[in-house]
Amino acid sequence: MTAGLILDTLTIHLGNRPLVSLSARIAPGAVLTVMGPSGIGKSTILAAITGTLAPGFRCRGRIVLNGRDLAGLPPQDRHVGILFQDHLLFPHLSVGGNLSFGLPPGTPDRKAAIAQALAEIGMDGFAGRDPATLSGGQKARVALMRMLLSEPQALLLDEPFSGLDADLRGQMRDMVFERARARNLPVVLVTHDAEDARAAGGEVMSLG
């Protein structure tokens, strides 16, 4: 089995028009940063990996995660986590409820797992809080931990730091990349910000 994420001659078409083409191998714990202006196709690459391409797009080539070809698999069976600029917490669930949503079925002590997850991100005692009462940085931390609790085998980052102020942006970069490395996750970051690329380290690929 080849560990990591392999994009083997991945080509995405919109109708008959080639939109983006790339090949890359992202080792466990490494980051590939894809840069380029808005509309160039960065987020479309992530949609191809997660299996959520919109109608009208076609994908060719192979996407292989830890030796498993993802072609034809529904999104929930790909074991790929993704973070967006918008944190997308469920407004009808508490912070603990949002984290519980990420836990795998059959987790023996969900309450303890949630408490441990909150402690890891410096938010002890927040389980009962309404997400609407959280700061932007707190929402980002909860979204990150909810995704990590689902035990993904790869992490995709769709400009998740761009909505944060400068201090929080640096803190969240450190938190995301440290936890990805600790879990040995291959990471694909799409951004137009050179500071994000520098913080990520690793290979940088420019589109357009």
Side-chain angles (χ1 to χ4, degrees):
M1 183 181 77
T2 302
L5 177 63
I6 297 172
L7 308 177
D8 182 10
T9 322
L10 182 66
T11 305
I12 303 170
H13 287 73
L14 177 56
N16 293 321
R17 178 171 65 91
L19 185 64
V20 63
S21 180
L22 76 160
S23 291
R25 178 179 181 270
I26 306 99
V31 182
L32 169 68
T33 298
V34 180
M35 300 192 69
S38 298
I40 199 69
K42 302 188 303 297
S43 295
T44 307
I45 294 169
L46 302 188
I49 297 171
T50 58
T52 56
L53 277 174
F57 290 90
R58 292 182 295 112
C59 180
R60 293 179 180 171
R62 297 171 71 233
I63 303 171
V64 182
L65 178 57
N66 293 336
R68 192 169 57 112
D69 195 326
L70 301 187
L73 292 178
Q76 66 271 20
D77 292 337
R78 296 191 176 207
H79 303 296
V80 175
I82 186 166
L83 288 177
F84 299 96
Q85 177 180 346
D86 297 320
H87 309 304
L88 303 178
L89 298 181
F90 300 117
H92 63 290
L93 296 178
S94 66
V95 167
N98 270 274
L99 293 178
S100 182
F101 187 85
L103 286 169
T107 300
D109 189 341
R110 302 178 78 84
K111 186 174 180 180
I114 290 167
Q116 182 178 345
L118 286 170
E120 184 177 340
I121 56 175
M123 294 179 63
D124 297 90
F126 276 68
R129 287 277 294 271
D130 184 335
T133 68
L134 302 182
S135 68
Q138 289 168 337
K139 290 177 182 177
R141 281 184 273 165
V142 173
L144 168 64
M145 187 51 64
R146 181 181 63 183
M147 184 274 301
L148 292 176
L149 287 174
S150 69
E151 300 179 353
Q153 296 178 15
L155 173 57
L156 309 181
L157 304 173
D158 193 353
E159 309 235 23
F161 314 120
S162 59
L164 303 173
D165 64 38
D167 288 342
L168 278 177
R169 191 170 184 137
Q171 293 173 22
M172 279 306 299
R173 283 190 194 113
D174 291 345
M175 180 175 287
V176 169
F177 295 133
E178 284 172 6
R179 278 155 180 75
R181 282 192 296 269
R183 290 164 172 80
N184 242 10
L185 299 178
V187 179
V188 180
L189 164 69
V190 301
T191 184
H192 61 272
D193 190 305
E195 285 296 325
D196 287 349
R198 278 192 284 273
E203 182 182 358
V204 178
M205 186 175 293
S206 295
L207 302 180

